[in-house]
């Protein structure tokens, strides 16, 4: 999925199954996290996942605003946040181990 770009929307659920953003990653919970809107910007909240949601190497415990350049990791899936055409976009990154 490296290089795939998505347009996140508030209230999108992220997980392995029955979510708006489905991640084919066995380390991701069925319902792992949810996107929120905070002060007209996109934010992420962990949904009580087993392996946690990480932003810039820190496990989050509250709703966390996301900014251009942030790295979000859920299981083995890593996203890089970028802005295109005044909209927030998410690009899947290739894992550090190259797989």
């Amino acid at each position: 999925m490296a290089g795939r770009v998505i347009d996140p929307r508030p209230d999108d659920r992220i997980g392995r199954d029955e979510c708006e953003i489905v991640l084919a990653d066995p380390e991701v919970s069925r319902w792992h996290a949810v996107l929120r809107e905070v002060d007209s910007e996109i934010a992420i909240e962990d949904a009580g996942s087993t392996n946690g949601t990480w932003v810039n190497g820190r496990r989050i415990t509250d709703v966390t605003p996301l900014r251009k350049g942030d790295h979000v990791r859920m299981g083995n899936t890593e996203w890089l946040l970028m802005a295109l055409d005044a909209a927030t976009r998410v690009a899947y990154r290739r894992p550090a181990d190259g797989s």
Side-chain angles (χ1 to χ4, degrees):
M1 296 178 70
R4 177 179 165 207
V5 176
I6 61 170
D7 293 315
R9 294 180 305 265
D11 300 320
D12 277 357
R13 293 170 301 149
I14 305 163
R16 280 194 339 257
D17 192 25
E18 298 183 22
C19 292
E20 288 76 23
I21 301 172
V22 176
L23 304 178
D25 181 339
E27 298 298 317
V28 169
S29 296
R30 291 186 71 193
W31 181 17
H32 197 98
V34 64
L35 296 174
R36 302 286 185 204
E37 184 174 346
V38 176
D39 298 328
S40 299
E41 295 184 350
I42 200 81
I44 193 165
E45 178 180 18
D46 187 78
S49 67
T50 301
N51 294 318
T53 301
W54 301 74
V55 176
N56 297 325
R58 182 181 64 84
R59 188 172 185 161
I60 63 169
T61 56
D62 296 314
V63 176
T64 302
L66 298 172
R67 306 280 186 264
K68 181 179 178 181
D70 282 349
H71 296 264
V72 177
R73 184 172 55 83
M74 294 165 280
N76 294 315
T77 301
E78 188 173 341
W79 288 351
L80 170 64
L81 268 63
M82 54 189 195
L84 298 173
D85 301 324
T88 300
R89 305 235 179 174
V90 173
Y92 288 80
R93 288 178 38 116
R94 189 174 262 59
D97 66 5
S99 58

